[in-house]
Coordinates of all heavy atoms in Angstrom, one line a residue:
S825 N 42.1 70.9 86.5 CA 41.1 70.4 87.5 C 39.8 71.2 87.5 O 38.7 70.6 87.6 CB 41.7 70.5 88.9 OG 42.9 69.7 89.0
L826 N 39.9 72.5 87.3 CA 38.7 73.3 87.2 C 37.9 73.0 86.0 O 36.7 72.9 86.1 CB 39.1 74.8 87.2 CG 38.0 75.8 87.1 CD1 37.1 75.7 88.3 CD2 38.5 77.3 87.1
V827 N 38.6 72.8 84.8 CA 37.8 72.5 83.6 C 37.1 71.1 83.8 O 36.0 71.0 83.4 CB 38.8 72.4 82.4 CG1 38.1 71.8 81.2 CG2 39.4 73.8 82.1
L828 N 37.8 70.1 84.3 CA 37.2 68.8 84.5 C 36.0 68.9 85.5 O 34.9 68.3 85.3 CB 38.2 67.8 85.1 CG 39.3 67.4 84.1 CD1 40.3 66.5 84.8 CD2 38.7 66.7 82.9
M829 N 36.1 69.7 86.5 CA 35.0 69.9 87.5 C 33.8 70.5 86.8 O 32.6 70.1 86.9 CB 35.4 70.7 88.6 CG 36.4 70.0 89.6 SD 36.9 71.1 90.9 CE 35.4 71.5 91.7
V830 N 34.0 71.6 86.0 CA 32.9 72.3 85.2 C 32.3 71.3 84.2 O 31.1 71.2 84.1 CB 33.5 73.5 84.5 CG1 32.4 74.1 83.6 CG2 33.9 74.5 85.6
A831 N 33.1 70.5 83.5 CA 32.6 69.6 82.6 C 31.7 68.5 83.2 O 30.6 68.2 82.7 CB 33.7 68.9 81.8
S832 N 32.2 68.1 84.4 CA 31.4 67.1 85.1 C 30.1 67.6 85.6 O 29.0 66.9 85.5 CB 32.2 66.6 86.3 OG 33.4 66.0 85.9
E833 N 30.1 68.8 86.1 CA 28.8 69.5 86.5 C 27.9 69.7 85.3 O 26.7 69.5 85.5 CB 29.1 70.8 87.2 CG 29.8 70.6 88.6 CD 28.9 69.8 89.5 OE1 27.7 70.0 89.5 OE2 29.4 69.0 90.3
C834 N 28.4 70.0 84.2 CA 27.5 70.2 83.0 C 26.9 68.9 82.5 O 25.7 68.9 82.3 CB 28.4 70.8 81.8 SG 28.9 72.5 82.1
V835 N 27.7 67.9 82.5 CA 27.1 66.6 82.1 C 26.1 66.1 83.1 O 25.0 65.6 82.8 CB 28.3 65.5 82.0 CG1 27.7 64.1 81.8 CG2 29.2 65.9 80.8
Y836 N 26.4 66.3 84.4 CA 25.5 66.0 85.5 C 24.2 66.7 85.3 O 23.1 66.1 85.4 CB 26.2 66.3 86.8 CG 25.3 66.0 88.0 CD1 25.2 64.7 88.6 CD2 24.5 67.0 88.6 CE1 24.4 64.5 89.7 CE2 23.7 66.7 89.7 CZ 23.7 65.5 90.2 OH 22.9 65.2 91.3
A837 N 24.3 68.0 85.1 CA 23.0 68.8 85.0 C 22.2 68.4 83.8 O 21.0 68.5 83.8 CB 23.4 70.3 84.9
Q838 N 22.8 67.9 82.7 CA 22.1 67.5 81.5 C 21.5 66.1 81.6 O 20.6 65.8 80.8 CB 23.0 67.6 80.3 CG 23.3 69.1 79.9 CD 24.3 69.1 78.7 OE1 25.3 68.4 78.7 NE2 24.0 70.0 77.8

Side-chain angles (χ1 to χ4, degrees):
S825 299
L826 180 61
V827 170
L828 290 176
M829 288 177 62
V830 171
S832 298
E833 289 300 320
C834 288
V835 171
Y836 177 85
Q838 288 178 314

